[in-house]
Amino acid sequence: MARQTRSERRARRAAQAESQAAVERTRVRPQMRPVPEAVAGQDDRRRPSGWFIKRFISESWGELQKVEWPGQQQLIQGTVVVLLACLIVGIYLFAADEVFKRLVQHVLLR
């Protein structure tokens, strides 16, 4: 397949832009609904004392009911994984510390 010339590419881009502009002109724009005004006095009433705390606690309890809590076996496996990861990272950090300590003592301080 032969390469397109610059004028052919420009013509192709112009045709694409023209067709896209035609699509944009025919596209139906959604009508915006007017925002209903607040009912007079609705925002003015006061909430009872402690209402927000009770609402927070009830919503939190509802969310806790949705949680799928791990079983004992899954909890043990997760704990073992975390402990092994801590052990591996600890050993790595100890070894790196020893290597750098010897490097500083024998190379840099002599």
Side-chain angles (χ1 to χ4, degrees), residues 73-91:
Q73 187 64 31
Q74 193 176 8
L75 191 65
I76 291 171
Q77 288 175 349
T79 304
V80 168
V81 167
V82 169
L83 291 175
L84 284 175
C86 289
L87 181 68
I88 290 170
V89 170
I91 291 171

Side-chain angles (χ1 to χ4, degrees), residues 27-91:
R27 186 175 291 166
V28 177
R29 294 186 181 173
Q31 295 292 327
M32 299 296 292
R33 288 190 228 161
V35 177
E37 294 183 24
V39 178
Q42 183 177 1
D43 293 334
D44 296 338
R45 60 187 164 147
R46 300 208 22 110
R47 304 275 188 214
S49 174
W51 179 80
F52 292 108
I53 294 172
K54 290 177 186 175
R55 180 177 172 200
F56 174 76
I57 291 173
S58 67
E59 288 180 5
S60 298
W61 185 257
E63 289 297 322
L64 287 173
Q65 298 300 316
K66 296 177 189 177
V67 174
E68 184 178 333
W69 297 100
Q72 184 178 6
Q73 187 64 31
Q74 193 176 8
L75 191 65
I76 291 171
Q77 288 175 349
T79 304
V80 168
V81 167
V82 169
L83 291 175
L84 284 175
C86 289
L87 181 68
I88 290 170
V89 170
I91 291 171

